[in-house]
Each structure stands twice: as C-alpha cells, then as structure tokens.
Amino acid sequence: MFKDYNMNQVVLPLDLEVKLQENDIAFHIHHLVESIPDEAFKVFLRNTGCPAYHPRMMMKIILCAYSQSVFSGRKIEGLLYDSVRIMWLAQGYQPSYRTINRFRVQPEVSELIRQCFVQFRCQLVQEKLIDQEAIFIDGTKIEANANKFTFVWRKSVEKYNKGLIEKSNQLYNELLEKEIIPQMEREDEEHLSLEELTQMVQKVEDVITEYDQQIEASSDALERKSLRRERKYPKQVRKELIDYIYRKQKYQRDFEIFGTRNSYSKTDHDATFMRMKDDYMKNGQLKAGYNVQIATEGQYTLAYSLFSNPTDTKTLIPFLDEIEKNYFKLPKHIVADAGYGSEQNYDDILSNRKREALITYNMYIKEQKKKQKQNKFNTANWKYDEENDTYTCPNQKQLSFKYHSIREDKTGYKREFKIYECEDCSGCPFRSSCTKAKEGNNRKLMVNEKWEQQKEYVSAKLSEEKTGSIYRQRKIDVEPVFGFLKANLRFSRFSVRGKPKVENEMGLALMAVNLRKFTVKTR
C-alpha cells in the first residue's frame, strides 16, 4: 500500500510561507529589509515608464541568494522558479537576470546596504548579542574581476614617460637646427606640453604642404625627385610627433588612474595589484584586488569599507572616519593587530577621538621575549640619564643629544626625532655588533619620544586584566568572519568591476554572512 500521490489534484496550502521552517533565514531577511525606513526607497521612484519591481523585494531575493552562496544573476533568476524561500520573498514576481544585475550595481543601492548594517546592529543590541564595549578591526584582500596579466606599473610608465620627454626635446632641437620650425615660447623648458607638440605637428604639416606645392609646380624631373627626397624627413617627423602625442595622452591618463597607487588593472581601473595569500603550493600570488576592512563585534560585521592600499596601516583613520559618519558612534576600545600600529594611528585614536587603542606594534611580541630584554645592543636596554639627556652604550661611552630631526611621510604626517651621537667609537671592541657606520664615524641614535610613550601606553594597557582580555578576544572575533566569508559562503572573487559596484557586492556578501550566523544563534 502507498500513500496517495496524484499530480492532477490541487495541493494545499497555496501560501509558501507555511512550507518554511519556523526560524528560517528568509524570515530574518524579510524583517531586516522591512526595518529600513521608507525614505531610503524614495530615490527609486519613477513617474514614467513601466512600474518597477519594489526595491524591498529585490533586496530580499538578492540577500537570500547570497546567503545560499549564489552570486550569479542567471542563477539567482533560476532560484525564483525552484527555491521556496526566494519564491515566497518575491511573492510570485520573477525579475530577469538583467534586472537583478542592474539593480545590485546601482549607486542608490549603497544607501540600502548601509541601512541594512545600521538596522542589523540595532537588532543585535536589542537581542543583547553585542555589548558595544569594543570593535575589532581587520582586513583581507579579495581578488578583483580582472585578469592577473592586465597590470600597469607606475615605475614603468614613469620610465617610458621620461624617455618620451627626452626624445621629444631632442627632436625639437633638431627641427630648430634644420630651420624646419621656428622657436616657440615654451611653458616648461624641461618638457613639451600636448599643445606645443600639436603646434609642432601643424608647423611640420605646413612645411610638407609647401613641398607638395613646389613638386606640383615643377616640371623638371630631377628637381621633383630632389624635392621628394627633402620632403621625406618632415613626413617622418610628423609621424613621430603624432606618435608622441598619442603616447603622452596615454601616460597622462595612466597617471590620473594611478592617483597615489603604484599599479592598476586595465580591466578594472580601481583594482590594485596586491600580494595575495600563498596558494596550496606556497606560491605568492600577485593579483588585482581590493583591501577589505571590516569592524566586528560578536563575530558580526558592523561596518566595512574598501581600499586600494595593499597594507592596513594607512586604512585605519579613513575607516574610522567612515564608521563615525555612516554607521555608529565609536565604542571605548578600538582593537586591531600589529599591522595597524603606527604613531599616526595611535595619535588619532588617543588624541583626536579620545578612545583607547588596543593595537600592538610590529616589535611588541619580540620585545616581550627574554632574549630581547637581555640583549645589550638593543637600544631600549641602554641606560638613560634624564638629567644630562644622555645614553650609555655597552662600551660605557656617552651618547649626547646633538639636534632635532623632523620627517614627513607621503600623507603629510610629521614625526619628530632626537638625534644622539656617541662621543668616540674608535677602537670599540663592540663596533661590528653595535653599528654599521663607516670607520671614522660615530654611532648615532634616533629617538622618537612620542612613539616611545605610545609604546609604553600600549604595553601597559595590554598588561591590564580587562583590556588584555578584550585584546585576546580579537583573534576569535574578527578572524572567523573572513573564514565564514571565504570558506563557508565561498565568496573569494568579485563578479563586478569598479569600486562603487564592488562595494555594493561586498556589502551584500558580508550581510549574508551576518544573517546566516544570526539565524543559527537565534534558534
């Protein structure tokens, strides 16, 4: 005997919501998107044309698809026909893959994604899943949708541009010597501008036109042959000048795209070539990608941003600015790893934002080791006489203060150093171990007092029981989010190009990770 099975009979219920489990992720997606204020959707209203699909519905089906590791527009369209979750969220509508792809890369969608993060954080606070005491910041590199052989390097462009300047100046001088063109008033004596090169082409063309007229007017075959021979050089020069103009325009475009970066990809100009993590054969991969920065608490991503910097150090301050502007007020503790430890970052957090920086620096772990503390050549272990402002080296020689030195980095941040110099290093038995200075020069010591004070502050904070436990939580708070993103969600490469579009996709993927975790936690 079998249970009744009849394909010709209407089966109840017709409402797909009944088929979903009680704590299904579709319900959490529905409640999250419904919590976004109506004002955020007004920019999508159009007074002409066919009525558009509601942005709430589009956000729901895309978030649900991303939570199931489906990122392709065509595959998301397929889920509208066979996934009970997405069919319920779409309420019978079936937008095409073109509509889905156009929607998720719209600039207006970035505000909806931002609202998702703001509203999701409010839910976490209500559910008491986060205590708002600290945020944990870290970054990872995700590959851009660009071929790894489409690189353009700043150094190469600078090299070719320098050669172009030399060749164009040389050609200009040759034309002056041969009296083909008159001397021009140049804006810059070092290089010719595009306008000046264009003027040169025009003047050379005038010379060629003059030769053409002479050839046509002449009836003597030998004279015509001689004129053609003379015309050959101006024609070659014109061809070279046109090539120089094209190359100069190209190099100028390259420098505009570079900005402050050292490279870019031809297929995604916003992507920068970065050293990715080693593959399974331990090969370092240099690929076009983006540096994704996230701020987490309780293993939930509360804010995110994308940067073109391969390193994390210079991303912290702009990321904190973005958090305060678009997401939430910063908590008391800012926690990050040694990649963010710098004088500028400490100064910004402690002085400008009035927060506690639980961020280590590069030498922190090494300085805690017994070997480093007992190393007599480590300048941190040298005796300092505060009254006379001198240091004593392992050979019991005095290093006295000589002068101040100020160094400015590319961002304009200035660091102040005090320079000390040993009284006499001649005949020192420790010279080879103590200094690399040439024979006859004394050992110099650079001391950044502000940096030393910041290091002492960090060491003291991490030694305290409460703040130390908060910092130790960093590894189990922010690191797993990248593991969930890349291993569980299988999101390791962007499918769109251009930073605004990539930011939208990154936000959708991170929110999908949040919703998956939230669904499991609230069961």
Side-chain angles (χ1 to χ4, degrees):
M1 184 176 180
F2 298 105
K3 290 184 179 181
D4 184 46
Y5 176 70
N6 187 350
M7 292 293 291
N8 298 318
Q9 185 174 346
V10 176
V11 179
L12 296 175
L14 295 176
D15 188 1
L16 294 172
E17 183 179 355
V18 181
K19 291 187 175 292
L20 298 175
Q21 295 182 11
E22 184 179 352
N23 193 44
D24 195 90
I25 193 171
F27 294 123
H28 296 295
I29 292 170
H30 168 70
H31 293 313
L32 175 65
V33 177
E34 289 296 325
S35 66
I36 299 174
D38 293 333
E39 290 77 14
F41 296 94
K42 287 183 179 178
V43 294
F44 293 92
L45 289 172
R46 299 289 183 270
N47 296 325
T48 57
C50 178
Y53 292 110
H54 202 290
R56 288 191 194 272
M57 184 267 289
M58 297 297 292
M59 280 292 292
K60 289 175 187 178
I61 63 174
I62 292 172
L63 278 172
C64 189
Y66 271 65
S67 69
Q68 297 176 55
S69 302
V70 178
F71 313 117
S72 162
R74 291 179 185 272
K75 290 182 179 178
I76 294 173
E77 182 187 5
L79 291 177
L80 287 163
Y81 295 90
D82 53 25
S83 170
V84 175
R85 287 191 182 110
I86 294 187
M87 288 167 69
W88 175 68
L89 290 171
Q91 288 294 295
Y93 289 111
Q94 295 172 338
S96 69
Y97 71 91
R98 288 190 181 92
T99 305
I100 293 166
N101 289 339
R102 279 198 298 264
F103 177 81
R104 62 176 167 179
V105 298
Q106 281 188 66
E108 294 83 2
V109 174
S110 61
E111 175 59 20
L112 299 185
I113 295 170
R114 187 191 72 82
Q115 285 287 349
C116 280
F117 279 92
V118 172
Q119 298 302 326
F120 185 75
R121 183 174 179 274
C122 292
Q123 288 184 24
L124 294 176
V125 173
Q126 289 174 2
E127 297 284 341
K128 296 182 179 179
L129 292 173
I130 59 173
D131 54 18
Q132 306 179 72
E133 188 177 19
I135 56 168
F136 303 87
I137 295 174
D138 204 357
T140 189
K141 297 178 182 68
I142 295 183
E143 188 180 348
N145 184 15
N147 191 298
K148 63 182 178 180
F149 299 110
T150 60
F151 47 76
V152 180
W153 302 104
R154 178 186 281 274
K155 285 187 177 180
S156 296
V157 175
E158 286 175 347
K159 174 186 170 185
Y160 294 134
N161 187 50
K162 185 180 177 182
L164 177 63
I165 291 169
E166 291 174 357
K167 287 180 180 178
S168 59
N169 285 334
Q170 185 180 351
L171 184 59
Y172 173 73
N173 293 330
E174 281 181 17
L175 293 173
L176 284 180
E177 286 177 13
K178 295 184 178 181
E179 298 181 349
I180 294 175
I181 62 170
Q183 190 167 359
M184 297 187 303
E185 289 186 11
R186 294 173 60 174
E187 297 176 7
D188 192 338
E189 292 298 324
E190 292 184 3
H191 63 87
L192 290 158
S193 65
L194 276 172
E195 293 78 11
E196 290 165 349
L197 286 170
T198 307
Q199 288 176 25
M200 288 173 65
V201 171
Q202 187 61 48
K203 287 172 182 177
V204 171
E205 283 182 346
D206 292 342
V207 172
I208 294 170
T209 305
E210 190 177 332
Y211 273 114
D212 291 341
Q213 291 172 354
Q214 290 177 13
I215 291 168
E216 287 178 10
S218 177
S219 58
D220 186 0
L222 291 174
E223 185 183 358
R224 287 163 65 92
K225 187 175 182 181
S226 175
L227 288 169
R228 286 195 193 96
R229 196 182 303 115
E230 291 176 13
R231 187 184 62 176
K232 191 174 181 181
Y233 177 72
K235 289 181 80 171
Q236 288 176 347
V237 167
R238 181 180 61 179
K239 188 177 180 181
E240 282 184 40
L241 286 170
I242 292 170
D243 179 56
Y244 290 167
I245 290 171
Y246 170 76
R247 286 167 58 190
K248 194 170 187 68
Q249 289 174 335
K250 179 181 179 298
Y251 297 151
Q252 285 182 356
R253 285 196 303 269
D254 287 339
F255 285 124
E256 286 174 8
I257 295 169
F258 281 130
T260 57
R261 299 178 294 162
N262 291 324
S263 65
Y264 76 86
S265 170
K266 292 175 186 175
T267 46
D268 185 354
H269 290 173
D270 294 330
T272 308
F273 278 82
M274 306 176 182
R275 184 69 63 181
M276 302 289 179
K277 288 285 178 71
D278 294 341
D279 61 10
Y280 57 89
M281 293 295 289
K282 300 296 179 184
N283 298 314
Q285 298 292 304
L286 191 66
K287 295 179 180 178
Y290 292 89
N291 188 351
V292 181
Q293 297 291 312
I294 64 169
T296 69
E297 187 178 359
Q299 295 185 354
Y300 295 103
T301 304
L302 306 181
Y304 76 100
S305 189
L306 269 72
F307 295 91
S308 299
N309 311 45
T311 55
D312 294 331
T313 311
K314 299 297 182 184
T315 64
L316 182 62
I317 294 174
F319 184 39
L320 293 177
D321 289 337
E322 190 168 340
I323 291 173
E324 287 188 308
K325 181 182 176 182
N326 297 326
Y327 294 98
F328 54 86
K329 185 180 178 182
L330 291 174
K332 184 180 179 182
H333 301 103
I334 310 295
V335 188
D337 62 18
Y340 299 86
S342 72
E343 182 183 336
Q344 186 177 6
N345 289 344
Y346 289 137
D347 191 35
D348 179 74
I349 295 171
L350 300 174
S351 303
N352 299 341
R353 305 181 196 274
K354 309 299 181 185
R355 299 292 191 273
E356 290 188 4
L358 303 183
I359 304 172
T360 55
Y361 46 91
N362 285 331
M363 295 292 290
Y364 175 75
I365 295 175
K366 191 174 181 180
E367 286 177 0
Q368 309 307 311
K369 294 181 179 178
K370 185 177 179 181
K371 182 181 179 181
Q372 188 72 4
K373 289 180 179 179
Q374 293 180 351
N375 182 7
K376 62 182 179 180
F377 297 111
N378 179 13
T379 55
N381 299 328
W382 289 8
K383 185 180 177 182
Y384 175 65
D385 185 353
E386 191 172 351
E387 185 177 346
N388 297 318
D389 194 14
T390 59
Y391 285 87
T392 305
C393 74
N395 198 32
Q396 302 306 309
K397 297 284 186 180
Q398 300 296 315
L399 284 84
S400 56
F401 171 72
K402 294 298 180 183
Y403 58 91
H404 287 279
S405 175
I406 297 176
R407 295 191 176 184
E408 186 174 343
D409 61 16
K410 292 179 181 178
T411 60
Y413 185 78
K414 294 180 179 179
R415 294 178 297 158
E416 209 172 298
F417 293 90
K418 292 178 74 175
I419 310 299
Y420 295 82
E421 187 174 346
C422 184
E423 55 186 347
D424 185 18
C425 286
S426 58
C428 178
F430 306 120
R431 184 180 180 88
S432 59
S433 303
C434 182
T435 181
K436 293 180 181 178
K438 293 181 180 179
E439 199 67 38
N441 295 336
N442 295 327
R443 167 69 192 267
K444 287 185 178 180
L445 177 65
M446 295 177 66
V447 178
N448 186 338
E449 291 183 338
K450 190 175 185 180
W451 173 242
E452 295 300 327
Q453 290 169 4
Q454 290 171 345
K455 285 164 64 176
E456 288 177 11
Y457 164 84
V458 170
S459 298
K461 280 292 176 184
L462 297 181
S463 300
E464 294 176 12
E465 184 178 351
K466 182 183 177 182
T467 50
S469 64
I470 292 173
Y471 178 76
R472 288 191 294 273
Q473 191 181 342
R474 185 197 70 80
K475 292 179 181 178
I476 60 170
D477 197 293
V478 67
E479 298 288 358
V481 175
F482 294 133
F484 297 151
L485 178 71
K486 294 180 179 181
N488 296 351
L489 200 68
R490 298 193 295 278
F491 186 88
S492 58
R493 192 175 192 266
F494 293 112
S495 58
V496 292
R497 295 172 181 173
K499 190 177 179 183
K501 297 176 183 179
V502 167
E503 282 180 336
N504 284 1
E505 186 172 35
M506 190 72 253
L508 292 167
L510 289 170
M511 185 49 64
V513 173
N514 284 345
L515 288 164
R516 284 176 63 156
K517 184 172 181 61
F518 184 75
T519 303
V520 173
K521 279 271 188 180
T522 52
R523 277 179 183 169

